[in-house]
Amino acid sequence: MNYFPDEVIEHIFDFIASHKDRNSISLVSKSWHKIERCSRKKVFIGNCYAINPERLIERFPSLRSLTLKGKPHFADFNLVPHEWGGFVHPWIDALAKARVGLEELRLKRMVVSDESLELLSRSFASFKSLVLVSCEGFTTDGLASIAANCRHLRELDLQENEIEDHRGQWLNCFPETSTALTSLNFSCLKGETNLAALERLVARSPNLESLKVNRAVPLDALTRLMSCAPQLVDLGVGSYENEPDQESFVKLMDAIKKCTELRSLSGFSEVAPLCLTAFYPICENLTSLNLSYAAEIQGNHLVRFIQFCKRLQRLWILDSIGDKGLEVVASTCKELQELRVFPSDLHDEEDNDTAVTEIGLVAISAGCPKLHSILYFCKQMTNAALITVAKNCPNFIRFRLCILEPNKPDHTTSQSLDEGFGAIVQACKGLRRLSVSGLLTDKVFLYIGMYAEQLEMLSIAFAGDTDKGMLYVLNGCKKMRKLEIRDSPFGNAALLADVDKYRTMRSLWMSSCEVTLGGCKRLARNAPWLNVEIINENENNDLMERNEEDEREKVDRLYLYRTVVGARKDAPPCVTIL
Amino acid sequence: MEKGGLELEITELRLGLPGTEKVMKKRGFTEMIMTSSGSNSDHQCESGVVSSGGDVEKVNESPAAKSQVVGWPPVCSYRRKNSCKEVSTTKLVGLGYVKVSMDGVPYLRKMDLASSHGYDDLALALDKLFGFHGIGVALKDGDNCEYVTIYEDKDGDWMLAGDVPWGMFIESCKRLRIMKRSDATGFGLQPRGVDE
């Protein structure tokens, strides 16, 4: 029995925001379960097929904020067919029918249609915040519905979505009475923008803190926008490949100087060097900088800019910065917590001497004591460097290293990189996310299984020798939630060794590995609480009917995930759920 | 799909010229490039077999072959589509965009030759592109400048820019390079005045 009345307990629960903690609370007792579920406002669903909307609503009637994720991570790299699934419509439909007081919807890798957006905009009177990340399936018409109908909209944040731009007047659809905007991000739109409408909208939104425009907003418009929104904290600019004339430059700089609250800068899909210098006045306030889309800008300009950014905590940059540039980052950005270095040369066409190497990584690890997250694309690596990095930075939470050429060994010793990654997992006791690359044997997985106790997500490509590799990971990493593997020699023995392990994981992805249809079928039989999906784009009909039982046939792509609602009904023909 | 131990590699068919082969350890990846299929294959790897010093020569394949491995490198498709290089690269063919490199500058630039109307225009455009006044001089004054402007023509030969009529130049120019005069000797430039 509870010592306190329910209302008191509920009030105490209000202080607990983390969904993991709230999930734990709900396991304490029936009474706590009920109080918790009735008072829960925010729900996070990492796999939209693990549960259905009806059960969600039944359990959490007071739902205000929903986060949903659809396609598996490797969909980002075109490994998942377009029509795979992840449709948001049934969710919006169910929430609308149940008259849930939805205020916030955050979606990642889901398919969103204009109809869904229209329904969303009409069904929830208090709707405030829409965040779409890596979604697709809608057009600016859908955005127009949101703008027009969501009277209390505060946040419209579109990140890296595929949006068909009808070059309509969606910005005009915000009513004149709409003044509550705090965040507007339409950087991923490809078409022309109604500048006048945008300027009017920004001018009547005194609470606007975050504004990220698309490429089509020219410099003079940007200047005007900044002038009427000096309170901006987070700014994403457009594309400025031409040098501004003297007058425009001065006006721009004046506007920038007034934005004393600016802490985060992004955009810059093209930026002439002079343009970049206009931002020097606010560099020292910046905590977040994303120049990773500015492919044409030379390393030296980047470096000069960053030299002023002494308070930077997050930096996303292209490898054109070079090792020398990273050394400057290391000596300047002592507050750096997160670094992402993306490859500028995806086709490996140029003989690019400036791409970063292990030297840059070591420099960063030595100079930035607060670094905890890194994504680093490079051409080469050595064990010695990784060992040094591990010693310098034992606080890594996320460590993703991508050596561009698969199977590339340590370039000084020609050995595998097992020892280097081994040092990382051994030193970084709090490591939650890891991506490995380069030449790797089963040994690296032995190390990962042994040392990576907090590891939740692991990405493997072109690595390992035998099933043992995968088994080390499955047996060792108790906190593993998402395991994604491609082009590695792991097969049925590893897949089937411990079926119950998948109860503790969100999902497993295996593509171009050694698992066979027979193995997958056996798994599906032994684990009815799993959806075992076989994705075979090349086949034009159902896998089961095709070559009836060639169970030895290797499976192209396998995606399995725990679920409480059984096989989904919306799978396309290229997906077979065993 | 051929399977077998590494000793069969010698007999394996490759697309490259003899002598320019990269020693691949994971055959799966090799086959993936050659056959552009993403399916799995024999991944047995002897970790003892390595290329000398780990520094391998580039295989003589077209860049297109390399990028046929689906989803590698793991850069998300939005970024691929929107990174300028990606965008520019697709413009290169047939639209007058050429790559321009300058010695000492780590980054390639791209420019649309068709937007210039003559060598003088080109000189100005190059100056602007690199923020460096002097390239133009190189084109006009030839021998008095630190830099020479050369271009690669349709036949793959490197020629000194400025010799042939403008129309002929933009038709045959595949890429431009601004090179230090001191490096130019011995580079193998076609002598001035030679017909294509």
Side-chain angles (χ1 to χ4, degrees):
Chain A
M1 260 349 293
N2 297 319
Y3 288 118
F4 300 113
D6 287 1
E7 298 78 34
V8 176
I9 298 185
E10 186 183 316
H11 183 66
I12 296 172
F13 288 177
D14 275 348
F15 290 99
I16 301 179
S18 142
H19 64 267
K20 280 185 191 160
D21 288 342
R22 291 201 73 127
N23 290 347
S24 305
I25 288 177
S26 64
L27 294 173
V28 166
S29 69
K30 277 210 174 111
S31 160
W32 277 34
H33 187 273
K34 177 154 189 243
I35 298 171
E36 195 284 316
R37 77 173 186 84
C38 289
S39 63
R40 174 110 63 136
K41 305 244 180 0
K42 283 181 127 155
V43 175
F44 168 86
I45 296 177
N47 174 7
C48 64
Y49 291 120
I51 183 85
N52 65 26
E54 290 73 28
R55 285 179 64 158
L56 169 73
I57 297 164
E58 201 187 346
R59 181 168 170 191
F60 301 113
S62 302
L63 185 63
R64 297 279 172 272
S65 163
L66 178 63
T67 303
L68 278 171
K69 292 187 177 183
K71 296 191 178 135
H73 175 229
F74 276 1
D76 285 351
F77 316 129
N78 295 327
L79 287 173
V80 176
H82 228 55
E83 65 276 21
W84 177 84
F87 307 103
V88 77
H89 198 85
W91 294 85
I92 296 177
D93 198 42
L95 290 164
K97 289 199 171 97
R99 298 185 205 277
V100 169
L102 193 69
E103 294 178 10
E104 178 179 279
L105 187 62
R106 310 167 76 93
L107 306 176
K108 187 166 187 179
R109 288 191 208 99
M110 293 201 69
V111 177
V112 181
S113 64
D114 286 343
E115 290 75 32
S116 306
L117 291 175
E118 162 101 36
L119 182 60
L120 176 68
S121 73
R122 293 193 186 284
S123 308
F124 308 106
S126 304
F127 194 75
K128 296 191 175 66
S129 168
L130 181 63
V131 180
L132 302 177
V133 180
S134 302
C135 296
E136 56 174 349
F138 60 107
T139 78
T140 45
D141 295 347
L143 297 180
S145 320
I146 298 288
N149 304 328
C150 299
R151 297 286 157 95
H152 301 283
L153 194 70
R154 292 202 200 137
E155 180 177 22
L156 179 60
D157 186 357
L158 308 168
Q159 299 174 32
E160 306 196 348
N161 303 291
E162 285 298 322
I163 308 175
E164 204 178 294
D165 198 328
H166 287 172
R167 281 147 227 255
Q169 299 302 318
W170 72 279
L171 276 169
N172 258 334
C173 295
F174 282 99
E176 289 304 310
T177 48
S178 157
T179 56
L181 270 184
T182 59
S183 167
L184 178 63
N185 173 5
F186 59 95
S187 52
C188 57
L189 283 181
K190 302 200 188 77
E192 296 299 307
T193 295
N194 183 332
L195 296 173
L198 176 60
E199 287 173 40
R200 282 198 309 272
L201 180 61
V202 170
R204 66 174 185 275
S205 304
N207 299 321
L208 193 67
E209 288 187 344
S210 172
L211 175 65
K212 293 182 184 166
V213 302
N214 71 345
R215 304 175 75 114
V217 174
L219 210 57
D220 53 339
L222 179 71
T223 305
R224 289 194 296 273
L225 287 168
M226 293 182 80
S227 301
C228 61
Q231 76 281 5
L232 282 176
V233 173
D234 178 15
L235 175 67
V237 307
S239 166
Y240 310 112
E241 57 184 342
N242 297 315
E243 299 285 358
D245 58 65
Q246 178 73 350
E247 199 190 328
S248 309
F249 181 80
V250 168
K251 280 196 187 147
L252 175 65
M253 208 178 210
D254 281 342
I256 289 169
K257 276 191 196 144
K258 298 210 177 79
C259 294
T260 54
E261 305 302 307
L262 206 53
R263 296 289 172 271
S264 167
L265 201 52
S266 61
F268 294 111
S269 39
E270 288 204 48
V271 56
L274 189 61
C275 262
L276 205 52
T277 65
F279 289 90
Y280 282 176
I282 47 93
C283 276
E284 58 178 26
N285 297 334
L286 288 182
T287 55
S288 169
L289 178 62
N290 182 352
L291 285 171
S292 63
Y293 286 99
E296 299 291 327
I297 196 161
Q298 296 165 21
N300 57 338
H301 295 296
L302 292 174
V303 170
R304 232 172 276 151
F305 190 86
I306 291 171
Q307 268 172 333
F308 292 112
C309 303
K310 299 199 189 320
R311 297 217 191 119
L312 223 49
Q313 293 170 18
R314 178 160 68 164
L315 176 63
W316 290 24
I317 199 100
L318 287 171
D319 63 5
S320 48
I321 194 173
D323 286 332
K324 290 268 172 280
L326 287 178
E327 283 165 12
V328 174
V329 172
S331 60
T332 309
C333 308
K334 293 303 182 188
E335 301 295 313
L336 198 66
Q337 297 174 22
E338 178 188 331
L339 174 67
R340 296 196 191 188
V341 181
F342 293 97
S344 46
D345 177 13
L346 288 167
H347 296 301
D348 203 13
E349 276 168 1
E350 285 113 30
D351 278 322
N352 199 347
D353 308 315
T354 62
V356 297
T357 69
E358 72 275 13
I359 295 170
L361 184 61
V362 170
I364 290 285
S365 72
C368 306
K370 299 191 182 175
L371 192 66
H372 60 61
S373 294
I374 189 158
L375 169 60
Y376 197 79
F377 284 84
C378 60
K379 295 210 160 172
Q380 62 189 41
M381 188 51 54
T382 65
N383 284 311
L386 286 172
I387 291 167
T388 306
V389 167
K391 237 183 273 170
N392 291 339
C393 282
N395 297 324
F396 275 122
I397 303 175
R398 294 171 205 99
F399 188 87
R400 294 193 278 165
L401 180 66
C402 179
I403 302 164
L404 291 167
E405 189 189 312
N407 309 325
K408 188 154 189 189
D410 176 325
H411 74 93
T412 56
T413 64
S414 299
Q415 293 184 329
S416 74
L417 290 169
D418 298 338
E419 296 308 311
F421 281 103
I424 295 284
V425 292
Q426 198 174 357
C428 304
K429 307 220 184 294
L431 195 68
R432 297 206 302 251
R433 183 168 180 185
L434 177 66
S435 299
V436 296
S437 59
L439 180 64
L440 295 167
T441 72
D442 284 345
K443 199 154 195 224
V444 72
F445 301 113
L446 172 67
Y447 290 141
I448 293 173
M450 241 168 38
Y451 295 114
E453 291 176 8
Q454 302 301 320
L455 197 63
E456 296 177 4
M457 183 168 177
L458 177 61
S459 308
I460 301 169
F462 306 102
D465 304 314
T466 73
D467 282 329
K468 280 207 209 118
M470 186 169 161
L471 282 167
Y472 290 140
V473 170
L474 289 174
N475 293 335
C477 300
K478 300 296 176 208
K479 299 236 177 136
M480 184 62 64
R481 289 187 302 114
K482 288 182 282 185
L483 182 56
E484 45 187 29
I485 307 171
R486 64 167 292 181
D487 297 281
S488 301
F490 307 135
N492 295 339
L495 181 71
L496 295 164
D498 178 9
V499 165
D500 280 330
K501 173 68 177 175
Y502 305 127
R503 285 187 194 276
T504 65
M505 287 169 58
R506 184 189 296 175
S507 64
L508 168 67
W509 169 280
M510 293 179 78
S511 56
S512 304
C513 296
E514 304 284 314
V515 291
T516 69
L517 181 58
C520 294
K521 282 186 178 173
R522 213 158 105 216
L523 176 61
R525 271 197 303 273
N526 294 344
W529 37 268
L530 277 184
N531 276 354
V532 179
E533 297 194 3
I534 309 293
I535 302 169
N536 239 321
E537 223 161 353
N538 300 324
E539 312 307 318
N540 27 26
N541 41 14
D542 193 329
L543 193 64
M544 305 295 275
E545 290 161 10
R546 204 182 45 94
N547 251 351
E548 207 34 273
E549 305 306 288
D550 197 353
E551 307 238 320
R552 288 156 306 165
E553 177 106 358
K554 287 199 191 139
V555 159
D556 196 28
R557 282 165 283 183
L558 160 69
Y559 180 53
L560 62 86
Y561 51 90
R562 63 185 177 187
T563 178
V564 293
V565 291
R568 59 187 174 110
K569 311 267 184 316
D570 60 4
C574 60
V575 173
T576 309
I577 305 179
L578 296 176
Chain B
M1 203 91 40
E2 295 146 70
K3 292 191 190 287
L6 282 160
E7 60 273 18
L8 289 179
E9 267 192 334
I10 294 165
T11 58
E12 197 178 301
L13 291 175
R14 306 259 178 179
L15 290 179
L17 294 176
T20 60
E21 285 156 24
K22 185 192 306 203
V23 176
M24 294 286 202
K25 275 156 292 311
K26 296 276 185 188
R27 298 196 37 201
F29 181 63
T30 312
E31 283 157 14
M32 218 176 309
I33 290 182
M34 298 306 169
T35 63
S36 61
S37 87
S39 61
N40 39 43
S41 52
D42 192 345
H43 283 270
Q44 299 317 313
C45 148
E46 269 90 280
S47 39
V49 178
V50 290
S51 53
S52 56
D55 214 357
V56 296
E57 282 177 6
K58 278 202 189 304
V59 180
N60 188 14
E61 338 167 300
S62 63
K66 266 204 169 152
S67 55
Q68 274 166 18
V69 179
V70 177
W72 194 266
V75 172
C76 76
S77 50
Y78 176 84
R79 184 172 284 280
R80 274 179 193 273
K81 287 184 198 154
N82 289 283
S83 94
C84 234
K85 258 191 173 305
E86 189 82 14
V87 166
S88 307
T89 305
T90 56
K91 273 190 191 164
L92 277 176
V93 181
L95 278 184
Y97 272 83
V98 295
K99 292 185 194 177
V100 188
S101 61
M102 179 168 173
D103 283 2
V105 172
Y107 228 76
L108 283 201
R109 315 285 302 191
K110 289 178 187 68
M111 71 180 296
D112 182 3
L113 278 188
S115 65
S116 297
H117 304 295
Y119 284 113
D120 286 347
D121 234 18
L122 176 64
L124 279 173
L126 286 174
D127 277 355
K128 251 190 135 178
L129 204 56
F130 288 102
F132 174 88
H133 299 290
I135 302 167
V137 173
L139 265 182
K140 286 189 287 189
D141 263 55
D143 299 323
N144 294 342
C145 174
E146 201 194 336
Y147 287 93
V148 291
T149 304
I150 60 178
Y151 69 97
E152 188 184 5
D153 72 3
K154 284 196 284 228
D155 302 324
D157 294 323
W158 287 92
M159 319 274 280
L160 208 54
D163 284 346
V164 301
W166 176 251
M168 213 182 273
F169 168 71
I170 55 172
E171 255 183 67
S172 57
C173 172
K174 273 194 346 193
R175 67 186 283 172
L176 278 165
R177 181 172 165 184
I178 298 157
M179 185 176 207
K180 278 209 155 74
R181 178 170 296 280
S182 43
D183 293 338
T185 53
F187 184 69
L189 274 183
Q190 298 299 306
R192 290 183 105 126
V194 169
D195 275 291
E196 295 83 342

